[in-house]
Amino acid sequence: MRRPRAVVTGGAGFLGSHLCERLLREGYSVLCLDDLSTGSAANVAHLAEIGPFRLVRADVTDFVHVVGDVDAVLHFASPASPIDYLRMPIETLKVGSIGTLHTLGLAKEKRARYLLASTSEAYGDPQVHPQPESYWGHVNPVGPRGVYDEAKRFAEAMTMAYHRSQGVDTAIVRIFNTHGPRMRPDDGRAIPTFIRQALAGEPITVAGDGSQTRSIQYVDDLVEGVFRLLHADRHEPVNIGNPSEVSITELALLVRDLVGATSEIEYGPRPEDDPTVRRPDITLATDLLGWRPEVGLEDGLRRTIDWFRATLAASGPAAASRAV
Ligand code: UDP
């Protein structure tokens, strides 16, 4: 029997690289398309040992051309951390809009299952808590985060339009905050920043009064949810996230404890439109996919911290104290 083949855009990024690895372990051959603007070849250097894997440097907003059969297209390409998408606002809008158009076109041509990586940011600064998929969200389209939020909301609309009008077999995952190995220490998000600061004995920079909340999942749980959704018969969005909700101050203190550091907590300004609360309602994922997160917050953070410790030690003290 022919091996199934997946195209993963953004496959050299944090989530994409874990996803490529899982697909290879499940017997897929994987073509990874990445422009390496936030991902890196180092993230996927080990994958060719696991199975048939190819990395092609490509910007999916130019065009997407793939020779041969394709069974699944997973569109994970996008800057995803606030400092990345604020630095690359037009690229972020393009990959969510034109990139989604091109990858949907590929899925249509190949009659492949299509899976869009969407985001809890689609809910914006939510006025319903926790957030079920039926909630339409509360997004400021013209604020600085609008470039990411609206690109993903447009991507969801485009995906449903291809499903409804073109009969493409599509899926949408709304991904909540995720952490794990291969996050960039300088990507500016809370977890890599706090770990890097704690490991270097520097102050931990908490935005605002730190009472805003996030619900944090370990990358292995996310990948399991995405893999199940890829093989399910569902077209409407599905939340994948761990409902265990913490305030950002609690998160900073927990990271500091787990690292064994004595860093001060330094309170600073809160970014514009920073959501005040965030927690997934995962009833749908549990009912539909039999999915629930398996890795607890502390256990997951220990794993991520171990990886950062090893990686920053290998790259020297300069990397450990690099300013973001
Ligand atoms: N945050 C913080 N210090 C940092 C980076 C982020 O306090 O050095 C806050 C940020 O303002 C937000 C929360 O941590 O309230 C989570 O931010 P992150 O960028 O990790 O994810 P997102 O806002 O996309 O959920």
Side-chain angles (χ1 to χ4, degrees):
M1 211 181 78
R2 187 178 68 81
R3 207 182 251 281
R5 182 167 182 235
V7 173
V8 182
T9 75
F14 160 50
L15 296 182
S17 64
H18 286 275
L19 194 57
C20 288
E21 184 166 335
R22 174 66 185 266
L23 290 163
L24 290 168
R25 291 195 192 284
E26 298 285 345
Y28 277 80
S29 91
V30 175
L31 172 62
C32 162
L33 303 178
D34 202 302
D35 71 353
L36 304 181
S37 57
T38 58
S40 75
N43 282 343
V44 292
H46 63 298
L47 294 186
E49 287 161 26
I50 300 171
F53 176 79
R54 199 153 68 94
L55 166 64
V56 172
R57 187 169 187 163
D59 179 348
V60 295
T61 66
D62 289 338
F63 61 90
V64 183
H65 179 63
V66 175
V67 177
D69 291 336
V70 175
D71 304 280
V73 176
L74 298 100
H75 185 33
F76 275 65
S78 179
S81 83
I83 62 164
D84 285 341
Y85 58 71
L86 297 179
R87 184 166 57 84
M88 296 184 281
I90 309 296
E91 291 87 340
T92 302
L93 283 158
K94 281 176 71 182
V95 77
S97 54
I98 302 165
T100 302
L101 174 69
H102 289 168
T103 51
L104 279 162
L106 175 69
K108 181 182 167 190
E109 182 194 315
K110 304 290 185 182
R111 297 180 194 281
R113 170 104 165 132
Y114 182 86
L115 190 145
L116 171 71
S118 186
T119 171
S120 56
E121 287 278 330
Y123 300 120
D125 189 4
Q127 294 174 314
V128 168
H129 192 65
Q131 296 81 55
E133 291 83 351
S134 54
Y135 177 48
W136 291 354
H138 180 232
V139 171
N140 175 5
V142 295
R145 295 175 91 102
V147 298
Y148 184 64
D149 303 4
E150 294 295 15
K152 290 291 190 182
R153 288 165 64 95
F154 178 92
E156 289 194 5
M158 178 83 89
T159 301
M160 290 308 296
Y162 263 75
H163 171 62
R164 293 194 181 105
S165 77
Q166 307 290 308
V168 178
D169 178 16
T170 60
I172 298 171
V173 58
R174 289 193 182 139
I175 299 171
F176 284 67
N177 294 63
T178 307
H179 69 98
R182 300 187 211 125
M183 291 187 99
R184 293 199 335 272
D186 61 349
D187 87 354
R189 284 188 274 204
I191 290 179
T193 306
F194 293 172
I195 295 177
R196 186 174 50 73
Q197 291 167 333
L199 287 173
E202 292 171 359
I204 297 180
T205 52
V206 168
D209 65 2
S211 63
Q212 69 272 29
T213 68
R214 294 294 184 272
S215 303
I216 292 154
Q217 70 183 328
Y218 189 65
V219 63
D220 289 0
D221 282 330
L222 182 265
V223 168
E224 179 64 34
V226 169
F227 190 76
R228 290 186 189 205
L229 180 58
L230 181 65
H231 298 95
D233 182 21
R234 180 77 187 189
H235 307 295
E236 290 76 22
V238 179
N239 289 339
I240 297 288
N242 188 327
S244 73
E245 184 181 7
V246 287
S247 74
I248 296 305
T249 295
E250 285 170 329
L251 180 66
L253 295 175
L254 184 56
V255 167
R256 184 174 72 177
D257 264 17
L258 294 173
V259 167
T262 53
S263 300
E264 282 169 44
I265 305 294
E266 191 175 274
Y267 293 91
R270 181 100 178 270
E272 202 176 324
D273 295 336
D274 189 35
T276 303
V277 290
R278 183 182 288 160
R279 171 153 54 107
D281 180 329
I282 57 165
T283 311
L284 183 60
T286 301
D287 290 352
L288 183 76
L289 309 173
W291 177 88
R292 55 171 57 80
E294 302 279 339
V295 183
L297 179 60
E298 280 197 32
D299 183 18
L301 283 174
R302 273 199 196 91
R303 297 188 206 182
T304 303
I305 290 168
D306 285 348
W307 183 84
F308 271 78
R309 215 191 278 278
T311 305
L312 293 176
S315 53
S321 62
R322 189 169 46 202
V324 292

